[in-house]
Amino acid sequence: MTLTSMTPTSQAHEISAASRLEHVRYAIRDLACVADEVVKQGHKVLPLNVGDPLNFDFQTPPHIIEAVYKAMRDGKNGYSPSSGIPEALQAIRGEAARKGITTVHDVFVTSGVSETVDLCLSALVNPGEDVLTPSPDYPLYSAVLCKLGIRLNAYDLNEDDAWQPELADIERKVTPRTRGIVLINPNNPTGSLCTRQMLEQVAELAHRHNLIVFSDEIYDKLILDGTPHIAFASVAPDVPCVTFGGMSKNYLVPGWRIGWGIVSGDAAAVKAYTDGVNRLLRARLCANHPEQYAIKPALEGPQDHLIEVQRKLRSRRDLTQKWCESTPRVSCVAPRGAFYAYPRIDIPESDEVFVKELIRQKHVMVVHGSGFGQKPGTQHFRIVFLPDEKTLTKAYAGIAEFMRERYGNA
Ligand SMILES: Cc1ncc(COP(=O)(O)O)c(C=O)c1O
């Protein structure tokens, strides 16, 4: 039978997507359609929207590329054990010890922290339950919860307190059906760091309400002000916690898709949950196999690249901050980690319109604050300050000019 003879004469019924997906958004990449329009008109768009250091002047440390190449040549191209290869798991346990996490119950390797987020949330929540997520947050958390059909329960970060979590808001939003709380530290999109006192207060609250803490520390080696990063699990050894870490940012290989989870806390309290995570790990077979051979040399080998990365990021952060301070209608809490700034803007239209028009008129792509969450009545945009100083200076001049032309000076 030919395809033509199978095709019904009446119009085919549309295959609809699950209604759960209605609220799944990923503003960072959703803007690509607007950028495509501009590119089709022959312009080059400067991508200050995606946190990929490899788009700019950052290079993967060669010794970890060699490790993956060798693994491939040595035939490590089949499936790996579901939780990861033994030498990577041992190296991650070593990393946990260096982070001061003393009550490690389990570790596992995933296809990027993105998969850790998906697995850890999926393994926790039943219909009708919820997880507290920061606002603003990295949008994958809300996207995964929407996919699972879970009601969003966002708590505010306080811009007037260097974007620290607002404890009173968390307290207000905990319900008997709340199962966990997400911390992103250093934070994307704000670049803020949690203070030790804040971590202790979150630990006390999590303990009191029987919550598991998901501490996303994917940027823990990209601290820009010389202070040490404090792992949540190191200040709260008994609180059930999964610390998320990975290779994408610290080791400059976002395309390899390697992340991990470190389960810590009271062993009896986390046992059933850990069994659930491992069931999901087995069901999806394994993370990328040859890339796992880079984990040990990355975590235990030379860390020299980090000195250069931090030097560049510090200089670019300072330039960004200076621009924010000297530009009418713009203000910004100085980022202390990662490579994002989240300036507040005083404009008479939505930040989504601002961002789309900025792409169309000046070919600079940033992401609107409403794509991450923000308090009603406030508007922001997120800048990725990875490009070199010359490129950033040009981009910031374009943004300032756009604001002057569109809104006039405040
Ligand atoms: C806070 C945060 N968590 C997780 C991820 C996902 O990282 P991965 O590349 O390991 O999936 C990102 C990526 O930008 C991020 O910013």
Side-chain angles (χ1 to χ4, degrees), residues 242-310:
V242 188
T243 303
F244 301 168
M247 300 273 289
S248 295
K249 317 290 178 170
N250 290 341
Y251 295 96
L252 306 168
V253 284
W256 286 4
R257 314 307 303 124
I258 291 289
W260 52 79
I262 301 166
V263 184
S264 60
D266 178 85
V270 293
K271 183 170 182 322
Y273 174 70
T274 309
D275 289 348
V277 169
N278 277 279
R279 229 172 290 150
L280 289 180
L281 285 166
R282 292 193 292 274
R284 63 54 151 142
L285 302 179
C286 66
N288 297 330
H289 187 185
E291 284 82 353
Q292 295 184 48
Y293 285 85
I295 296 175
K296 183 179 165 73
L299 294 178
E300 297 178 0
Q303 306 291 308
D304 304 355
H305 72 285
L306 285 172
I307 297 170
E308 180 65 0
V309 169
Q310 287 174 9

Side-chain angles (χ1 to χ4, degrees), residues 4 42 54 58 115 117 183 197 208 236 260 278 282 337 346 363:
T4 331
L54 278 290
F58 297 88
E115 196 191 23
V117 171
L183 283 181
Q197 191 194 12
R208 189 155 35 85
W260 52 79
N278 277 279
R282 292 193 292 274
D346 175 16
H363 320 139

Side-chain angles (χ1 to χ4, degrees), residues 380-410:
H380 299 80
F381 66 98
R382 189 192 74 169
I383 300 170
V384 170
F385 56 77
L386 286 166
D388 62 31
E389 287 75 355
K390 193 168 156 220
T391 311
L392 282 179
T393 303
K394 189 162 167 244
Y396 294 155
I399 301 175
E401 189 178 75
F402 171 79
M403 293 180 82
R404 212 169 32 247
E405 288 167 0
R406 198 167 173 86
Y407 311 121
N409 284 337

Side-chain angles (χ1 to χ4, degrees), residues 26 28 51 111-117 138 140-141 184-188 216-219 244-249 253-255 257-259 339-340 382:
Y26 193 85
I28 300 166
S111 296
V113 172
S114 301
E115 196 191 23
T116 329
V117 171
Y138 176 62
L140 177 64
Y141 287 93
I184 305 176
N185 180 36
N187 184 268
N188 176 3
D216 183 335
E217 301 179 9
I218 189 171
Y219 299 97
F244 301 168
M247 300 273 289
S248 295
K249 317 290 178 170
V253 284
R257 314 307 303 124
I258 291 289
F339 35 67
Y340 306 104
R382 189 192 74 169

Side-chain angles (χ1 to χ4, degrees), residues 143-271:
V144 169
L145 289 165
C146 282
K147 183 183 82 171
L148 294 169
I150 296 296
R151 172 186 83 92
L152 295 184
N153 190 5
Y155 68 87
D156 288 332
L157 303 181
N158 185 354
E159 187 166 15
D160 297 329
D161 184 19
W163 293 114
Q164 295 297 305
E166 239 180 78
L167 279 171
D169 195 46
I170 299 177
E171 202 73 72
R172 259 194 307 277
K173 289 180 174 157
V174 178
T175 75
R177 317 213 71 183
T178 304
R179 302 289 312 284
I181 177 165
V182 174
L183 283 181
I184 305 176
N185 180 36
N187 184 268
N188 176 3
T190 66
S192 61
L193 289 177
C194 285
T195 62
R196 177 179 290 277
Q197 191 194 12
M198 177 54 63
L199 297 177
E200 286 167 357
Q201 287 171 316
V202 172
E204 187 279 325
L205 186 145
H207 177 71
R208 189 155 35 85
H209 293 287
N210 201 21
L211 306 179
I212 186 167
V213 176
F214 297 125
S215 188
D216 183 335
E217 301 179 9
I218 189 171
Y219 299 97
D220 64 351
K221 294 182 195 221
L222 304 181
I223 308 299
L224 307 180
D225 62 1
T227 52
H229 177 261
I230 307 169
F232 172 82
S234 73
V235 304
D238 297 328
V239 173
C241 176
V242 188
T243 303
F244 301 168
M247 300 273 289
S248 295
K249 317 290 178 170
N250 290 341
Y251 295 96
L252 306 168
V253 284
W256 286 4
R257 314 307 303 124
I258 291 289
W260 52 79
I262 301 166
V263 184
S264 60
D266 178 85
V270 293
K271 183 170 182 322

